[in-house]
Amino acid sequence: SGEELDELAKCMVFRTFQKDEEVFRIGDASKSSFLLLKGAVALAVFGQLFARIDTSPQFFGGIGLLDGTPRR
């Protein structure tokens, strides 16, 4: 509902990333998840592309929040 989205937005920090800027690295502490609102995100491991997120809105990077593990 609209009220639920408003409450969620109050808890969010909005950031803009530049092209080719790293969002996180493997092994980083999982302190947040991300919501892609515009643009695209490439997910790479050791320089090898394994996924691309280019549909928005789309959440990513939240598994560690659920299980308490570092980024993997």
Side-chain angles (χ1 to χ4, degrees), residues 22-40:
E22 269 186 1
V23 177
F24 58 81
R25 298 177 136 220
I26 291 176
D28 285 351
S30 297
K31 298 178 184 176
S32 58
S33 64
F34 299 88
L35 173 59
L36 177 67
L37 294 175
K38 181 179 175 186

Side-chain angles (χ1 to χ4, degrees), residues 3-17:
E3 282 184 24
E4 292 170 325
L5 289 175
D6 288 342
E7 288 300 312
L8 179 61
K10 289 177 187 176
C11 301
M12 299 177 93
V13 174
F14 292 87
R15 278 194 63 192
T16 300
F17 292 91

Side-chain angles (χ1 to χ4, degrees), residues 4 36 51 60 67 69:
E4 292 170 325
L36 177 67
F60 68 97
D67 64 14
T69 59

Side-chain angles (χ1 to χ4, degrees), residues 36-63:
L36 177 67
L37 294 175
K38 181 179 175 186
V41 174
L43 304 173
V45 176
F46 304 114
Q48 297 295 315
L49 179 68
F50 77 90
R52 179 177 169 84
I53 301 170
D54 56 9
T55 24
S56 56
Q58 185 74 251
F59 280 99
F60 68 97
I63 293 173

